[in-house]
Amino acid sequence: MKNKTVFVCSECGAESPKWSGKCPECGAWNTLVEETVVQKPEKTAKKISSSDFSAPLKLKEVTGKEEVRISTGINELDRVLGGGIVKGALYLVSGEPGIGKSTILLQLCEKLGAEIPILYVSGEESPKQLRLRADRLGVKKDDLYLLAQTDIETVCEQAAEQNPGLLIIDSIQTMNHESVASTPGSVSQVRECTSALMRFAKSKDIPVFIVGHVNKEGSIAGPKVMEHMVDAVLYFEGERNSEYRILRAVKNRFGSTNEIGVFEMTGEGLKEIGNPSAVFLQGKPSDISGIATVCVLEGTRPIIAEVQSLVAPTPFPAPRRVAVGFDYGRANLLIAVLEKRCRMFFGTSDVYINVIGGLKIDEPAADLAVAAALASGLKDFVIPDDTILIGEVGLAGEIRAVTSLEKRVAEAKVLGFKRAVIPKRNRTDFHTDIELIPVDSIKDVFNLI
Ligand SMILES: Nc1ncnc2c1ncn2[C@@H]1O[C@H](COP(=O)(O)OP(=O)(O)OP(=O)(O)O)[C@@H](O)[C@H]1O
Ligand SMILES: [Mg+2]
Ligand SMILES: [Zn+2]
């Protein structure tokens, strides 16, 4: 058995023989850490190959157990999962420290049917700490078992013996596999522990939730290292200073990846927000320039949000461009389109764009609203409060068609909007009470307003 050292990127898991400041694979800086690779003893190597995926089977020979879904009892979570938890699936719940990963999993324990026993393994908190949190969240579940353990093989043995309906591992970065020499949290440990859990989930047909930390730097392996191994990856997002949390599926073998779940963090835990649009529009200022309303589709759900821009003169030769919740490159593109096609000049102004509520918009249909917010900020005119703007902006300044216009308009109607500026290229053979204003180019929009 010979040990060798390699340098492993904690961001993407790429290995290289020597250290460098930048990962050659993913381009992240300062993520390469030295790790000792222990050649695997024969025993473990055999264990994997003789597992239950042995001989090839004909497709129709595979016993067709139907995919069983267990509802989590939390609507927003079910939506993101694609309808509920699938038996034997491996889920990764990821997000920055303190965002609410442990909270949602503990709440899941309470909501998941009383008849399903759960094993919650924590390598981070003592059972006492967990108990305190459970009390605060009002979790009273009877057969919820807490296990403070970091040795992954012991965890799998215990779990196999207890045979719970759900296994929760909080967190993968604290787990340790004996056959790996490096410290918990390192890329090889995280990989090995995840694959142990995968074998456990598939062979026992028990769903497993794994918490994975996101750590911007340092030697802790990020969730990217595990993403390809698990069945679904759920990401918790949110701004530090906002109480809203958005749960997003970035990978899902059992459902769409576009769905989001919206929650509010309170003292009693995460509360579901069934109607995010109303929340994101709360406190929207009226009669102020630089503000526009947009309707984006998140999966199957239309969400209305407020886009703010601030265009302020600057004495400096290189003005600032800041975009929060909107793609930076796209923002610059829209500024360029406004300059070239509408003769609106931002060259001597700082430009800030912000999407309210910690929402991240990455849909072309939001272009028109962002462009309108920018123009309104620059020229200091107010976009009427009851008007929503939907459309993609092309480089020629043309307004391009968007998908599911009817759904977006319907959501705007529900929230009390009276007018919708929409692409002329979209078909409008549906009925709505809202006044539709079809536009062809970005110039038309400003002539209108
Ligand atoms: N008493 C409280 N009242 C209100 N909110 C609280 C209270 N205690 C904790 N929180 C919220 O819960 C968050 C912590 O949630 P949680 O421990 O689930 O996060 P986590 O993602 O598991 O974090 P970690 O990475 O540390 O494990 C805090 O950031 C805070 O917003
Ligand atoms: Mg936690
Ligand atoms: Zn990398």
Side-chain angles (χ1 to χ4, degrees):
M1 213 163 82
K2 221 177 111 224
N3 294 351
K4 60 168 188 174
T5 39
V6 289
F7 292 89
V8 188
C9 171
S10 56
E11 189 65 29
C12 70
E15 288 177 15
S16 61
K18 57 178 202 306
W19 190 86
S20 69
K22 188 180 177 189
C23 168
E25 198 62 38
C26 70
W29 287 94
N30 288 327
T31 53
L32 292 193
V33 271
E34 185 172 358
E35 278 189 18
T36 318
V37 182
V38 182
Q39 302 300 320
K40 266 192 211 132
E42 307 253 304
K43 194 182 86 205
T44 24
K46 244 187 222 138
K47 208 154 92 192
I48 301 171
S49 62
S50 68
S51 67
D52 34 10
F53 320 96
S54 39
L57 288 175
K58 275 193 182 165
L59 178 61
K60 60 180 178 209
E61 281 168 11
V62 181
T63 37
K65 254 188 295 170
E66 232 180 279
E67 186 181 279
V68 189
R69 290 212 186 241
I70 316 163
S71 165
T72 62
I74 304 173
N75 281 335
E76 294 291 297
L77 183 57
D78 275 350
R79 183 206 309 279
V80 177
L81 291 171
I85 300 173
V86 175
K87 275 199 165 173
L90 198 57
Y91 294 97
L92 173 64
V93 178
S94 181
E96 291 186 14
I99 196 96
K101 301 178 291 292
S102 307
T103 304
I104 193 152
L105 290 176
L106 210 51
Q107 285 183 283
L108 166 68
C109 294
E110 170 72 17
K111 288 290 179 70
L112 203 65
E115 67 285 358
I116 301 174
I118 298 172
L119 180 59
Y120 192 114
V121 181
S122 180
E124 312 213 314
E125 290 160 301
S126 64
K128 201 166 152 197
Q129 268 178 301
L130 285 170
R131 172 68 205 263
L132 284 175
R133 179 182 291 121
D135 286 347
R136 173 164 60 86
L137 303 178
V139 175
K140 299 192 242 353
K141 190 176 167 67
D142 211 22
D143 43 6
L144 168 60
Y145 296 87
L146 305 178
L147 177 64
Q149 178 60 265
T150 55
D151 184 74
I152 197 74
E153 289 188 305
T154 316
V155 167
C156 289
E157 272 163 33
Q158 290 255 349
E161 194 173 312
Q162 196 199 338
N163 195 27
L166 175 68
L167 174 63
I168 296 173
I169 307 289
D170 192 356
S171 66
I172 194 74
Q173 280 94 351
T174 57
M175 294 294 142
N176 184 52
H177 197 290
E178 233 180 26
S179 75
V180 181
S182 48
T183 52
S186 63
V187 173
S188 16
Q189 277 290 3
V190 164
R191 262 197 204 135
E192 198 55 43
C193 293
T194 310
S195 78
L197 289 168
M198 181 170 70
R199 265 172 273 141
F200 172 83
K202 304 293 167 199
S203 61
K204 300 279 185 271
D205 213 17
I206 294 173
V208 179
F209 274 82
I210 300 174
V211 171
H213 293 292
V214 176
N215 215 330
K216 287 280 155 61
E217 49 213 287
S219 58
I220 293 186
K224 287 251 161 17
V225 175
M226 297 166 263
E227 275 179 6
H228 63 282
M229 301 170 83
V230 300
D231 293 308
V233 180
L234 311 182
Y235 246 94
F236 241 125
E237 300 172 347
E239 296 293 320
R240 270 226 168 262
N241 41 18
S242 143
E243 61 275 32
Y244 299 114
R245 301 281 185 270
I246 293 169
L247 191 65
R248 189 186 291 276
V250 287
K251 163 180 174 177
N252 194 351
R253 287 186 181 147
F254 309 111
S256 144
T257 50
N258 300 317
E259 299 292 347
I260 64 167
V262 186
F263 298 90
E264 183 182 1
M265 180 62 94
T266 71
E268 288 86 52
L270 291 157
K271 289 224 160 69
E272 297 183 57
I273 295 184
N275 185 355
S277 303
V279 173
F280 291 139
L281 286 181
Q282 235 168 42
K284 181 179 161 212
S286 46
D287 289 337
I288 291 186
S289 67
I291 292 174
T293 324
V294 61
C295 185
V296 288
L297 269 193
E298 293 283 358
T300 51
R301 177 157 63 166
I303 290 181
I304 294 188
E306 177 189 340
V307 179
Q308 296 193 336
S309 85
L310 182 66
V311 182
T314 172
F316 298 110
R320 298 191 59 158
R321 304 279 183 254
V322 179
V324 179
F326 190 74
D327 183 67
Y328 177 77
R330 192 98 199 149
N332 279 318
L333 184 147
L334 291 174
I335 291 175
V337 170
L338 287 172
E339 295 201 323
K340 179 87 182 166
R341 310 288 170 201
C342 305
R343 317 209 58 73
M344 295 184 175
F345 296 104
F346 294 83
T348 51
S349 309
D350 287 340
V351 177
Y352 302 88
I353 297 172
N354 183 26
V355 180
I356 299 296
L359 199 67
K360 289 194 176 65
I361 292 180
D362 57 357
E363 219 203 351
D367 287 353
L368 183 55
V370 175
L374 285 168
S376 149
L378 180 76
K379 297 284 183 193
D380 232 357
F381 62 86
V382 176
I383 299 171
D385 232 5
D386 56 1
T387 304
I388 191 159
L389 298 116
I390 304 165
E392 177 180 350
V393 176
L395 290 185
E398 83 278 20
I399 307 297
R400 310 182 70 102
V402 301
T403 56
S404 312
L405 182 67
E406 183 174 359
K407 236 184 208 170
R408 298 176 205 257
V409 170
E411 176 78 358
K413 162 88 178 93
V414 170
L415 284 144
F417 285 85
K418 301 262 167 12
R419 247 168 291 147
V421 179
I422 59 162
K424 203 173 230 162
R425 291 171 171 79
N426 261 101
R427 281 193 8 237
T428 50
D429 46 4
F430 52 86
H431 170 77
T432 175
D433 300 337
I434 288 188
E435 183 195 347
L436 298 177
I437 309 171
V439 288
D440 205 20
S441 79
I442 188 126
K443 258 196 194 147
D444 296 356
V445 182
F446 303 123
N447 292 339
L448 262 165
I449 304 174

